[in-house]
């Protein structure tokens, strides 16, 4: 999953030790990757990875009700294709299908195909063998998908709804700080003493900030947007969620014109000073909160630039909605293609659910 970020043997100095490297190039990500590839359903059944906060029936019902409302605005629906990325133990999939079936008054459920996906073949094999989703076997498909290996780009299927929960925070990110008084930038570096017997959280780590050449080391298209995420009056630190952004860009290509993308994850707002933004460690994995401000600004800005390029004075901007859940700092991001035919209405549906 993260092979492009792996540290080579030549870079490792001393037994079990590594030099200071950029956070997103740390060996922590390799440990994290191997954990989810090989742990299977035990990651959830043993209580190592939390999931009930977003995979329960109530949260699934909110998304099902929102999606169902969008379907009511369409005509001549032949099939409804849904893809969940990073399904894990499929608890969310099970609750979503239950909720959709409870809501449905138009016989949409019989037209629904729900693809459960994960990048771990072992996890999917164990999920099938468990029989957990057998009640919905006529609706369920299983697929190995890795959003970091272009697999979404090579398959022909397009979807009415793509969802992911606690997935964007699993993707590599950089931690960057700026001092507006000196106009200097800094980046988090980390070294780790590897020990196979210890959990990732207990590994000995050394961290420091090093000066960064922002204009050379940050992708040009991201620089202005990232700049707007820093605090203007004092030193602050942000998460550069480039891995999450790259994944979302790929995902949007797999939506139908009327398709919707929904992602729920932990938000990373800017913090004062030099903050290491320590990730959460679950089992032998890490979760780095996502900079939703950066992602939202990216797509809104990209849509405006497209309008300018096409010389469109009144452009119907791509729908970008962000919902701050009472379980803070959980956020739900909703995106569509730029040519989405109607206007998304988030608040009415979500407020109704909470009431």
């Amino acid at each position: 999953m993260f092979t492009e970020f792996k540290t080579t043997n030549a870079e490792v100095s001393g037994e079990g030790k590594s030099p200071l490297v950029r956070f997103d190039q740390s060996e922590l990500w390799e440990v994290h990757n191997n954990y989810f590839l090989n742990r299977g359903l035990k990651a959830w059944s043993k209580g190592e990875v939390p999931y009930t906060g977003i995979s329960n029936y109530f949260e699934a019902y909110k998304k099902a009700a929102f999606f169902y409302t969008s379907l009511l605005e369409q005509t001549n629906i032949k099939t409804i294709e849904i893809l969940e990325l990073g399904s894990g133990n499929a608890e969310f999939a099970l609750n979503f299908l239950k909720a959709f079936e409870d809501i449905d008054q138009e016989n949409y459920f019989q037209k629904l195909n729900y693809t459960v996906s994960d990048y771990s073949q072992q996890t999917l094999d164990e999920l099938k063998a468990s029989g957990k989703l057998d009640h919905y076997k006529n609706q369920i498909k299983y697929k190995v998908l890795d959003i970091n290996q272009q697999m979404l780009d090579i398959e022909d299927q397009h979807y009415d709804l793509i969802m992911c929960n606690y997935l964007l925070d699993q993707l590599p990110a950089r931690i960057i700080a700026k001092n507006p008084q000196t106009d200097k930038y800094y980046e988090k570096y980390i070294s780790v003493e590897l020990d196979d017997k210890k959990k990732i959280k207990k590994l000995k780590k050394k961290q420091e900030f090093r000066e960064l050449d922002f204009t050379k080391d940050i992708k040009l298209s991201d620089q202005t947007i990232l700049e707007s995420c820093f605090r203007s009056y004092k030193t602050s630190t942000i998460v550069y969620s480039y891995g999450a952004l790259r994944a979302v860009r790929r995902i949007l290509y797999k939506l139908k014109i009327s398709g919707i993308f929904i992602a729920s994850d932990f938000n990373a707002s800017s913090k004062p000073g030099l903050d290491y933004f320590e990730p959460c460690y679950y089992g032998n994995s890490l979760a780095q909160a996502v900079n939703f401000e950066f992602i939202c600004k990216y797509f809104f800005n990209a849509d405006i630039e497209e309008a300018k390029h096409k010389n469109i004075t009144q452009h119907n901007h791509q729908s970008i909605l962000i919902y701050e859940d009472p379980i803070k700092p959980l956020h739900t991001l909703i995106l569509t293609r730029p040519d989405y035919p109607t206007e998304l209405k988030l608040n009415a549906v979500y407020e109704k659910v909470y009431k």
Side-chain angles (χ1 to χ4, degrees):
M1 184 176 182
F2 300 112
T3 51
E4 58 194 292
F5 303 106
K6 287 176 67 173
T7 304
T8 64
N9 292 332
E11 292 174 302
V12 178
S13 60
E15 184 178 353
K17 298 182 180 180
S18 64
L20 283 163
V21 296
R22 251 175 38 190
F23 172 59
D24 63 322
Q25 296 174 338
S26 166
E27 292 154 310
L28 290 177
W29 293 97
E30 187 175 350
V31 175
H32 160 91
N33 177 54
N34 289 333
Y35 171 76
F36 278 116
L37 272 177
N38 303 310
R39 187 58 172 161
L41 292 184
K42 289 181 181 179
W44 295 272
S45 64
K46 297 294 184 180
E48 298 167 0
V49 176
Y51 62 90
T52 55
I54 198 66
S55 295
N56 59 74
Y57 178 87
F58 185 57
E59 290 292 328
Y61 182 89
K62 285 193 296 186
K63 293 181 174 65
F66 173 71
F67 176 59
Y68 191 81
T69 300
S70 74
L71 291 176
L72 294 176
E73 298 180 1
Q74 300 179 37
T75 59
N76 194 29
I77 297 176
K78 295 180 179 179
T79 61
I80 300 171
E81 299 292 339
I82 299 176
L83 168 66
E84 184 187 351
L85 295 163
S87 300
N89 69 345
E91 187 71 13
F92 177 83
L94 184 64
N95 281 311
F96 183 94
L97 288 165
K98 288 179 180 177
F100 194 99
E101 194 172 21
D102 290 344
I103 295 166
D104 185 26
Q105 297 180 358
E106 302 290 334
N107 293 321
Y108 288 148
F109 193 76
Q110 301 305 317
K111 303 177 181 180
L112 187 151
N113 295 311
Y114 193 110
T115 299
V116 171
S117 76
D118 201 277
Y119 84 109
S120 168
Q121 182 69 62
Q122 178 176 334
T123 298
L124 285 181
D125 289 344
E126 291 180 8
L127 183 60
K128 290 180 190 177
S130 73
K132 184 173 186 176
L133 297 173
D134 282 357
H135 179 72
Y136 296 107
K137 61 183 179 181
N138 292 332
Q139 276 76 34
I140 291 293
K141 299 178 182 178
Y142 298 87
K143 186 181 289 288
V144 175
L145 284 177
D146 183 348
I147 55 178
N148 277 333
Q149 295 295 335
Q150 306 288 342
M151 292 188 73
L152 283 178
D153 295 335
I154 62 175
E155 62 159 354
D156 295 331
Q157 182 69 59
H158 285 74
Y159 297 90
D160 297 279
L161 175 65
I162 299 178
M163 295 179 289
C164 61
N165 299 304
Y166 298 148
L167 175 64
L168 299 183
D169 67 4
Q170 304 294 301
L171 306 177
R174 298 168 67 175
I175 311 300
I176 299 174
K178 179 185 180 182
N179 183 336
Q181 278 71 47
T182 61
D183 205 31
K184 288 187 176 181
Y185 301 85
Y186 304 89
E187 181 162 11
K188 173 182 175 178
Y189 275 65
I190 185 171
S191 67
V192 183
E193 290 189 22
L194 297 179
D195 186 338
D196 292 338
K197 297 180 181 179
K198 288 185 177 180
K199 293 293 184 181
I200 192 171
K201 185 177 182 178
K202 296 182 178 180
L203 294 176
K204 291 183 179 180
K205 308 176 187 71
K206 180 182 178 182
Q207 302 178 121
E208 69 177 44
F209 275 92
R210 293 185 175 180
E211 191 166 343
L212 167 72
D213 190 333
F214 190 80
T215 58
K216 288 185 178 179
D217 294 342
I218 300 298
K219 191 175 180 181
L220 182 61
S221 61
D222 296 346
Q223 290 179 15
T224 301
I225 302 169
L226 284 173
E227 279 279 11
S228 70
C229 295
F230 291 109
R231 303 187 184 194
S232 59
Y233 55 94
K234 62 180 178 181
T235 299
S236 61
T237 311
I238 62 172
V239 178
Y240 177 21
S241 302
Y242 72 90
L245 174 63
R246 179 176 58 186
V248 174
R249 289 178 60 186
R250 290 175 178 168
I251 290 167
L252 293 183
Y253 280 108
K254 304 312 299 179
L255 288 176
K256 297 179 182 179
I257 291 177
S258 58
I260 298 172
F261 169 62
I262 307 178
S264 291
D265 226 313
F266 291 118
N267 181 53
S269 300
S270 66
K271 293 185 178 181
L274 298 176
D275 192 294
Y276 286 111
F277 270 101
E278 185 71 4
C280 293
Y281 297 102
Y282 300 118
N284 227 21
S285 71
L286 58 87
Q288 182 59 66
V290 181
N291 189 341
F292 280 115
E293 178 185 1
F294 164 65
I295 293 176
C296 286
K297 286 180 175 179
Y298 176 89
F299 285 106
F300 187 76
N301 182 69
D303 198 48
I304 291 176
E305 292 303 315
E306 180 184 2
K308 290 179 180 178
H309 178 70
K310 294 181 179 179
N311 196 28
I312 302 173
T313 55
Q314 292 184 337
H315 186 61
N316 191 10
H317 294 306
Q318 172 174 283
S319 294
I320 308 170
L321 299 172
I322 190 79
Y323 179 80
E324 185 175 357
D325 199 283
I327 309 174
K328 295 181 180 179
L330 184 66
H331 279 46
T332 294
L333 171 71
I334 300 179
L335 281 169
T336 70
R337 288 172 34 162
D339 51 354
Y340 186 78
T342 60
E343 180 183 357
L344 283 179
K345 299 176 181 179
L346 171 63
N347 290 338
V349 175
Y350 270 57
E351 288 178 2
K352 182 178 179 181
V353 172
Y354 275 112
K355 289 177 181 177

